[in-house]
Amino acid sequence: MKTIFNLLDEIITQFPEVKALMSIYDEDETSFRMEAFSKATTHAFALGNVEQALRYLNYMAKKLINAEAKVIEHIDVYYVETLFWGASPHTIALGWPLVPESLQTLYINFHGKAPLK
C-alpha cells in the first residue's frame, strides 16, 4: 500500500494543479484519488488542453515500465479503465489517438474495445 501512497503523492508533487481534485478524498481512498487524476486527464482533453493531458498520460505510461504489480494494477483499474468515462465523441476523437500504446492496451483489455467516438 505504501507504493500506492507514494505514487499518489508523486502525482500531486509532479502536477500540483490536480491536488485540489485529489485532496477531496481521504488519503486512504486511493482508488478515488487515482480516478480523480484520470478524470483530470479526460477533462484536459475536453477543454482542448492537449499538452496537459499528454503530460499526465506520458507520466502514467512511464510509471508502468518498471512498476510493481500492485502499482500496475492500480494504474490499470483506477486510472486507465476510467479514462474517457462520460466523455463526448469529440473529446474521445481528440484524445484516444494520443494515448500511449501501453495504456491503450490496458484499456482495450478491460473494455474489449477502444472508447466509442
Side-chain angles (χ1 to χ4, degrees), residues 59-78:
Y59 171 84
M60 295 308 279
K62 285 178 187 163
K63 281 289 157 192
L64 287 176
I65 295 170
N66 293 314
E68 293 178 30
K70 284 187 175 200
V71 171
I72 293 170
E73 180 183 16
H74 204 76
I75 291 170
D76 180 17
V77 175
Y78 301 111

Side-chain angles (χ1 to χ4, degrees), residues 35-53:
E35 286 174 353
F37 187 53
S38 177
K39 290 174 187 172
T41 306
T42 301
H43 192 66
F45 278 125
L47 294 175
N49 196 341
V50 174
E51 186 178 307
Q52 183 179 46

Side-chain angles (χ1 to χ4, degrees), residues 39 41-48 50 53 83-99 115-117:
K39 290 174 187 172
T41 306
T42 301
H43 192 66
F45 278 125
L47 294 175
V50 174
L83 279 173
F84 302 107
W85 186 260
S88 72
H90 173 76
T91 298
I92 295 167
L94 172 66
W96 178 251
L98 301 175
V99 174
L116 297 175
K117 298 177 189 173

Side-chain angles (χ1 to χ4, degrees), residues 23-38:
S23 295
I24 63 173
Y25 302 104
D26 291 336
E27 187 174 297
D28 63 341
E29 293 180 298
T30 58
S31 58
F32 292 122
R33 293 176 72 210
M34 183 61 84
E35 286 174 353
F37 187 53
S38 177

